[in-house]
Amino acid sequence: MQDRVMEKAAALLESGVCTRVLGWKTGEFFYDVTPAVFTSAEEVRTQMVYNPFCGPNLSKYLIAESRKEGKIAVFLKPCDTFSFVQLQKEHRIARDKVYAVGVQCDGMIDMDSLKALGLRGVTAAREVGDNLIVSTLYGEKTVPRREALSLRCRVCKSKRLNDCDEIIGEQGGDLPSDRFAQVEALEAMTPEERFAFWRSELSKCIRCNACRNVCPACSCEKCVFDNPGSGVRNKAAADSFEENLFHIIRAFHVAGRCTDCGECSRVCPQGIPLHLLNRKLIKDMNQLYGPYQAGADFDSKPPMLAFTPEDPEASIITNGRDGQ
Amino acid sequence: MQRIGVFVCWCGSNIAATVDVEKVAQTLAQEPGVVYSTHYQYMCSQAGQEMIQNAIREHRLTGVVICSCSPRMHEATFRKTVEKAGLNPYLLEIANIREHCSWIHKDKLTATEKAVILGRAAIAKVQLNAPLTAGQSPVTKRALVIGGGIAGIQTALDIAEAGFPVDIVEKKPTIGGKMAQIDKTFPTLDCAACILTPKMVDASQNENIDIISYAQVEKVQGFVGSFSVTIRKKARYVDETKCTGCGLCTEKCPQKKVPNEFNLGLDNRRAIYIPFAQAVPKVAAIDPNYCTMLKSGKCGVCAKVCTAGAIDYKQQDQLITREYGAIVVATGFEPIRLDKFDEFAYSQSPDVVTSLEFERLMNAAGPTGGTLLRPSDGSHPHTLVFVQCVGSRCDGGEKGKSYCSKICCMYTAKHAMLIREKYPDTEVYVFYIDVRTPGKNFDEFYRRAVEEYGVHYIKGMVGKVTPQDGKLKVQASDLLGGRQLRIDADMVILAAAIEPDKTARPLATMLTASMDTNDFFTEAHPKLRPVESPTAGIFLSGACQGPKDIPETVAQASAAAAKVIGLLVKDSLTCSPCTAKPDELMCNGCSSCEKVCPYGAITYIDKPFRGPNRTTLIRRVAQVNPAVCQGCGACTVACPSGAMDLQGFSNQQIMAEVDAICR
């Protein structure tokens, strides 16, 4: 798979299908893979990587990249294609300037999972069948691949590659996923417990804005939190509780547009499970307005922007859920 | 620097009795930007308005805050006041210290504190107000009446008389509504059909009236003066232009076992039918749920007998979109279902009937040809028991309705009187909580039932009705006599409560017209604007607004027509300048606002912007058509980046108000 991706990237540049390729390159560490734009086959061959650590979702970069001169080729994993479609629905990506290559995905590995398996001093990892052979400073270890998967990939919702010009590997389909299990656990808590949970999680936030900057749904020209005129910018920094609300507000801003790609939690340096806020809203919307998956297609109406007379009314929702 | 004037109104004692108006004026005088603050007995009076105007001139005010009643009451008044003094009318803010404060509080200290806070919020807002100028929007000179009962017919006739075209949309195959099903009318006992059917004919013959029967409103867009309404005209499988209404098909149709809804299921009709003899339009319709041809493709008898060749089994629903300046809701009522009142044995015995069913049993065109016969065995009933308030005036509203259905006392007196008149060998009992007869000649009518016709009126409720050996054992209490009664009745007639038609709620949603908890449409003002909905351009006619008898319905129908005519004679309306406005620099072009806009006021353009280093960036940005925008604010909430703002109600202004309240 890795070779096929690299070959394709080089070929697309050489044949002139595109002038640039959006892919990944290695960062400071081998597992620290970063999105990068390549302009020649030479660059692709020397710098580009595609490996089981290529978690970053490239879709958001297309907002800026598709506005530039010439066509850009992009490699998208199934979950990235949901963001790709969602951004097109919001008219954020010029589709004619993009050549989308879908890449079959068997789930991405992440360092936290390897650490959880007790591996230290990891220097390299390669896939052999269903296993992952991990080189460490203390010798080679073999672990089952599925145990090294990132948490988000363990509850993968779909292997479907949406709206791609070309596919490497095989097209997949939607999967049964118990991605709401954690949300259900939170719902089972008492309000006090839940408040304490979120207070403790969100108080770790250092407001580095990584979650916002990586989020494909957070693509506003000017974020309300950067806009002095919005009246919320200074509030968020005023005290720790207002600060916590940053994440709640962000979750509401992306409600109905979040594809549940899980990038927010991946990039959080403090390990806050931010995706749970989004999942809770997704779960509620599914329950109230019928199943909806952002970015799954071009025609469905986002529940927060659509209205039918059958929509439940707020008072009825409260009564129903609290059983009052 | 802002120069704000604050004017605190006493509203006589309405505000001053609960709020220390002098203290409010003094406290608000300390707010930044306030240069003048005063209080007066009636700000809306001539003297009060002059006081405001003089202050504007004398103190060169740049903004005015009036602490008074709801802006719904006098905002328009005060806008004119400040405008005459040379201030832009939108530099005025009203702090509602009456409905939101003095009327709901008892303690003067806390009410005064709250009044100050509300005033402070208004001052914070007015600091950010910008002068706005109102535009004009045109008026489509055509009205839509939804519902073709007596209310809708009367409204349509009056509008048409004034020279404006009007469409009636009726969900049934014929207009006429409930009144067509009624036998006689109180308090004059004239026959309902005799007074209704000429009006139906008038409506059908009036050049200005277009009756769209067997149709329902599907979608409403637009606003006062220019609504665009999509109407679904259901397939009746009969070509309306060809059908002569001869009725031959309805006699020959082999499918005879269809419950006849016009007679409330007391007899049967055919699968192809004309609801009743005087139906308008007199055109047959095929019931697709029963027609063998439509269900299995085998039959076609009606097509064979129809000499006009009007039968069309392939007919499809038709969507009609038309423009209207005003919409009148006349959706009427339905009797409630009696599932929850099984103590009266309605589901156990066919001899327990509702009052509307009883109307059909007494009607010459009804299933018994006007002879009163028991539905169970066709025998002549001797003892009849009427039960009042079945589902009306129920405590808590769990089982029935908390309101009085208003018409039952009178029609029951009518029924009792008619029975005793026609069949003097009968005993008629009426069990009531109260007999309510307000209305011209109503009490006299009821007295006649008691005194001349010997109807037994018993104050008390029926506890239980048990069908036994062909009789209905009625167990009841006589409250005035202080005894329990047991009556062997032949028939029991239940005065079922009435509720708004089931189609009213989804319609209200389409019209964005408000309803009360019982699904009756709310009026703009319960006393002063009883035939208008709070939504501009939507008017209310008949029982959709509350239980009504025929005289009241007709009066309200004509009143609604008068309001519609008053609107349609205008060539244009002044629109509110409080419309949405996008900040193009922040707009993502994501179309969220466009999707939620109920008026279709938002479009997008690709617009060049200056980028860094002398480059040009083409960006997709939202544009609002201010003539179409109604300032509902849905877009401002949907916009993820906060680029959309409502003029006069900007996010910043709202935040300033909240901050002022929380200070």
Side-chain angles (χ1 to χ4, degrees):
Chain A
M1 187 63 69
Q2 311 191 4
D3 299 338
R4 286 169 71 188
V5 168
M6 314 284 275
E7 273 165 34
K8 176 51 69 188
L12 286 171
L13 281 166
E14 276 166 352
S15 64
V17 169
C18 62
T19 56
R20 286 160 296 138
V21 164
L22 180 55
W24 300 267
K25 68 177 181 189
T26 306
E28 195 141 350
F29 304 100
F30 83 96
Y31 54 81
D32 180 18
V33 169
T34 328
V37 174
F38 309 99
T39 50
S40 70
E42 181 57 27
E43 265 179 36
V44 165
R45 288 194 188 100
T46 52
Q47 294 172 31
M48 187 170 159
V49 293
Y50 184 74
N51 61 33
F53 291 91
C54 286
N57 180 351
L58 301 180
S59 305
K60 188 180 184 178
Y61 295 86
L62 294 172
I63 298 173
E65 290 298 328
S66 73
R67 282 184 193 168
K68 294 181 183 164
E69 273 294 305
K71 207 165 184 172
I72 183 155
V74 63
F75 291 89
L76 298 171
K77 305 185 294 300
C79 55
D80 307 345
T81 64
F82 285 81
S83 312
F84 181 50
V85 170
Q86 182 60 28
L87 284 167
Q88 285 182 62
K89 272 177 98 166
E90 294 169 16
H91 307 274
R92 307 288 283 140
I93 293 176
R95 183 66 180 87
D96 55 337
K97 302 278 275 300
V98 178
Y99 188 84
V101 184
V103 186
Q104 179 193 331
C105 175
D106 302 317
M108 289 288 147
I109 311 293
D110 87 3
M111 228 19 221
D112 291 339
S113 298
L114 292 180
K115 283 180 188 159
L117 289 169
L119 297 169
R120 295 289 180 273
V122 179
T123 54
R126 65 196 147 88
E127 291 169 293
V128 176
D130 286 342
N131 287 328
L132 195 70
I133 300 176
V134 185
S135 314
T136 73
L137 296 174
Y138 317 104
E140 271 193 359
K141 297 258 167 63
T142 303
V143 294
R145 194 179 186 284
R146 66 188 147 75
E147 286 179 23
L149 283 181
S150 72
L151 292 177
R152 56 175 168 162
C153 295
R154 295 182 200 192
V155 290
C156 178
K157 62 183 179 290
S158 179
K159 299 283 186 203
R160 183 152 49 89
L161 290 157
N162 301 297
D163 194 40
C164 291
D165 296 304
E166 189 178 337
I167 285 172
I168 297 180
E170 272 173 34
Q171 173 65 293
D174 293 345
L175 301 175
S177 152
D178 61 344
R179 60 187 169 128
F180 296 119
Q182 262 178 295
V183 175
E184 276 154 16
L186 283 173
E187 285 170 345
M189 290 181 176
T190 64
E192 291 75 26
E193 286 168 349
R194 201 159 45 233
F195 185 73
F197 171 83
W198 281 115
R199 272 296 260 173
S200 122
E201 285 296 338
L202 295 178
S203 62
K204 295 184 213 160
C205 175
I206 53 171
R207 268 311 283 281
C208 66
N209 283 338
C211 51
R212 182 195 73 183
N213 294 355
V214 81
C215 175
C218 262
S219 61
C220 286
E221 293 288 328
K222 183 115 187 149
C223 174
V224 289
F225 289 103
D226 292 341
N227 175 9
S230 72
V232 297
R233 187 176 75 146
N234 297 329
K235 279 207 166 54
D239 71 45
S240 71
F241 185 71
E242 301 250 18
E243 180 94 32
N244 289 176
L245 283 175
F246 164 75
H247 294 286
I248 316 271
I249 293 172
R250 213 185 69 78
F252 275 100
H253 276 207
V254 301
R257 305 189 296 126
C258 168
T259 63
D260 199 9
C261 72
E263 287 284 271
C264 44
S265 294
R266 181 184 68 82
V267 298
C268 180
Q270 298 294 84
I272 306 171
L274 292 167
H275 66 284
L276 291 180
L277 290 173
N278 300 324
R279 269 195 198 153
K280 165 66 178 160
L281 294 183
I282 293 172
K283 181 170 178 279
D284 284 356
M285 281 184 286
N286 286 348
Q287 209 171 321
L288 294 171
Y289 309 112
Y292 176 78
Q293 171 60 53
D297 58 69
F298 288 96
D299 307 318
S300 58
K301 282 191 177 161
M304 290 292 106
L305 299 176
F307 173 75
T308 68
E310 290 77 40
D311 281 353
E313 291 185 28
S315 58
I316 301 167
I317 296 166
T318 340
N319 293 346
R321 196 176 310 146
D322 297 340
Q324 284 162 357
Chain B
M1 184 61 199
Q2 291 276 8
R3 299 179 62 82
I4 294 162
V6 176
F7 302 85
V8 185
C9 180
W10 303 13
C11 195
S13 62
N14 270 304
I15 294 172
T18 330
V19 170
D20 183 343
V21 284
E22 195 178 341
K23 192 172 171 213
V24 174
Q26 278 171 6
T27 316
L28 293 179
Q30 310 305 316
E31 284 294 306
V34 176
V35 294
Y36 182 76
S37 182
T38 189
H39 57 95
Y40 184 65
Q41 209 162 5
Y42 287 106
M43 279 296 169
C44 59
S45 68
Q46 184 73 26
Q49 294 192 42
E50 274 169 18
M51 184 185 230
I52 298 168
Q53 290 169 332
N54 290 338
I56 293 173
R57 293 189 194 103
E58 227 168 274
H59 298 275
R60 292 174 288 116
L61 299 182
T62 58
V64 168
V65 169
I66 297 173
C67 305
S68 60
C69 51
S70 162
R72 274 180 64 166
M73 198 68 172
H74 276 312
E75 189 173 56
T77 317
F78 290 127
R79 276 191 177 151
K80 277 186 204 137
T81 310
V82 301
E83 194 173 17
K84 276 187 198 143
L87 201 64
N88 183 287
Y90 293 88
L91 297 174
L92 161 86
E93 282 301 325
I94 291 187
N96 181 357
I97 60 164
R98 194 178 75 174
E99 285 86 340
H100 284 181
C101 189
S102 70
W103 276 1
I104 49 168
H105 294 295
K106 287 200 176 79
D107 177 37
K108 196 162 183 173
L109 217 61
T110 45
T112 305
E113 194 188 343
K114 183 170 170 185
V116 168
I117 293 171
L118 292 172
R120 212 196 276 153
I123 293 167
K125 189 182 175 204
V126 87
Q127 305 257 21
L128 300 167
N129 276 21
L132 301 172
T133 317
Q136 299 279 312
S137 72
V139 177
T140 308
K141 294 183 183 284
R142 176 184 276 271
L144 172 66
V145 175
I146 304 168
I150 181 61
I153 293 172
Q154 185 63 47
T155 303
L157 281 172
D158 289 349
I159 298 172
E161 274 306 300
F164 295 106
V166 47
D167 295 350
I168 302 177
V169 169
E170 167 58 48
K171 69 174 175 188
K172 300 231 171 78
T174 171
I175 59 169
K178 291 283 177 300
M179 189 174 169
Q181 288 172 286
I182 294 172
D183 181 36
K184 300 274 193 302
T185 56
F186 59 78
T188 45
L189 293 183
D190 43 355
C191 128
C194 311
I195 54 176
L196 173 70
T197 49
K199 275 196 185 290
M200 290 164 63
V201 174
D202 282 354
S204 76
Q205 288 177 349
N206 194 307
E207 282 181 357
N208 278 332
I209 298 181
D210 187 2
I211 298 170
I212 309 172
S213 61
Y214 210 35
Q216 260 174 310
V217 172
E218 183 122 323
K219 195 170 146 198
V220 180
Q221 282 180 303
F223 51 91
V224 57
S226 49
F227 292 104
S228 173
V229 181
T230 308
I231 299 157
R232 176 177 292 274
K233 192 164 168 40
K234 289 176 277 187
R236 63 200 298 157
Y237 306 102
V238 173
D239 188 334
E240 271 182 72
T241 56
K242 290 183 188 161
C243 176
T244 58
C246 71
L248 195 58
C249 54
T250 67
E251 287 161 22
K252 299 289 183 215
C253 172
Q255 178 51 273
K256 297 174 187 173
K257 291 252 165 80
V258 186
N260 183 356
E261 52 278 89
F262 186 71
N263 283 335
L264 300 148
L266 293 168
D267 65 352
N268 289 330
R269 60 164 169 81
R270 310 294 174 101
I272 186 163
Y273 66 108
I274 295 174
F276 58 98
Q278 300 93 338
V280 169
K282 199 166 182 202
V283 173
I286 297 181
D287 188 335
N289 297 320
Y290 292 94
C291 171
T292 339
M293 186 67 185
L294 289 172
K295 284 173 81 180
S296 63
K298 289 181 202 122
C299 181
V301 170
C302 51
K304 279 187 206 108
V305 299
C306 181
T307 47
I311 310 290
D312 175 6
Y313 298 114
K314 294 210 168 64
Q315 203 177 61
Q316 298 281 318
D317 286 7
Q318 203 185 334
L319 289 177
I320 308 166
T321 303
R322 280 196 190 155
E323 310 293 317
Y324 300 99
I327 299 177
V328 183
V329 183
T331 45
F333 71 93
E334 282 289 340
I336 61 163
R337 289 175 57 92
L338 293 173
D339 310 9
K340 290 182 184 163
F341 296 91
D342 215 35
E343 63 267 33
F344 302 122
Y346 179 71
S347 64
Q348 299 160 36
S349 167
D351 296 334
V352 181
V353 297
T354 67
S355 298
L356 193 57
E357 287 164 0
F358 192 74
E359 291 282 351
R360 299 312 302 154
L361 290 173
M362 293 288 280
N363 191 292
T368 55
T371 316
L372 180 57
L373 300 173
R374 291 204 330 165
S376 61
D377 55 7
S379 67
H380 169 56
H382 292 277
T383 308
L384 296 100
V385 171
F386 285 87
V387 185
Q388 296 290 82
C389 295
V390 178
S392 296
R393 303 174 70 189
C394 282
D395 290 337
E398 270 291 301
K399 207 172 154 189
K401 307 292 181 185
S402 54
Y403 53 83
C404 164
S405 293
K406 200 171 183 180
I407 54 174
C408 327
C409 287
M410 287 302 289
Y411 68 59
T412 298
K414 172 188 79 178
H415 288 159
M417 213 186 273
L418 289 171
I419 298 168
R420 290 281 299 148
E421 166 91 33
K422 263 181 153 175
Y423 311 103
D425 63 336
T426 50
E427 290 295 331
V428 177
Y429 298 87
V430 176
F431 286 92
Y432 66 92
I433 306 177
D434 298 294
V435 178
R436 297 179 163 177
T437 55
K440 193 173 167 184
N441 296 328
F442 281 16
D443 202 60
E444 295 89 323
F445 184 79
Y446 154 63
R447 295 304 323 161
R448 253 166 68 209
V450 180
E451 287 157 14
E452 286 179 32
Y453 288 89
V455 177
H456 308 299
Y457 267 79
I458 299 165
K459 187 176 176 73
M461 269 307 269
V462 169
K464 197 163 175 57
V465 177
T466 322
Q468 209 178 73
D469 310 326
K471 286 276 181 188
L472 296 165
K473 305 266 182 199
V474 177
Q475 217 177 315
S477 49
D478 172 2
L479 291 182
L480 296 179
R483 59 196 168 131
Q484 286 292 310
L485 292 177
R486 284 196 164 72
I487 301 167
D488 282 353
D490 298 310
M491 278 186 82
V492 170
I493 300 104
L494 306 176
I498 59 172
E499 62 182 358
D501 192 89
K502 288 279 176 286
T503 56
R505 166 74 49 184
L507 182 68
T509 311
M510 280 190 263
L511 296 170
T512 63
S514 54
M515 285 186 139
D516 62 19
T517 47
N518 294 311
D519 279 5
F520 286 113
F521 281 87
T522 359
E523 52 284 355
H525 190 285
K527 281 150 276 181
L528 303 177
R529 294 172 68 193
V531 300
E532 293 156 85
S533 156
T535 307
I538 311 290
F539 301 88
L540 310 174
S541 175
C544 68
Q545 179 258 346
K548 274 182 198 64
D549 56 31
I550 295 167
E552 254 190 298
T553 296
V554 172
Q556 204 207 11
S558 290
K563 287 283 168 190
V564 170
I565 296 162
L567 170 64
L568 296 188
V569 290
K570 290 184 185 140
D571 290 322
S572 66
L573 300 170
T574 304
C575 10
S576 162
C578 296
T579 53
K581 197 178 177 188
D583 182 335
E584 293 178 342
L585 290 174
M586 287 202 283
C587 177
N588 299 330
C590 71
S591 277
S592 295
C593 53
E594 183 196 21
K595 289 198 185 89
V596 297
C597 179
Y599 307 101
I602 300 172
T603 49
Y604 286 85
I605 53 160
D606 287 324
K607 196 171 171 177
F609 287 86
R610 261 183 71 175
N613 304 324
R614 294 176 180 270
T615 50
T616 304
L617 276 174
I618 306 285
R619 285 196 12 237
R620 183 175 194 269
V621 289
Q623 304 280 296
V624 175
N625 180 346
V628 182
C629 174
Q630 292 300 294
C632 73
C635 55
T636 67
V637 188
C639 178
S641 62
M644 197 61 96
D645 233 339
L646 197 57
Q647 298 185 95
F649 297 91
S650 70
N651 293 334
Q652 246 185 325
Q653 286 175 302
I654 309 279
M655 286 303 239
E657 282 184 287
V658 174
D659 281 349
I661 289 169
C662 300
R663 200 161 72 204

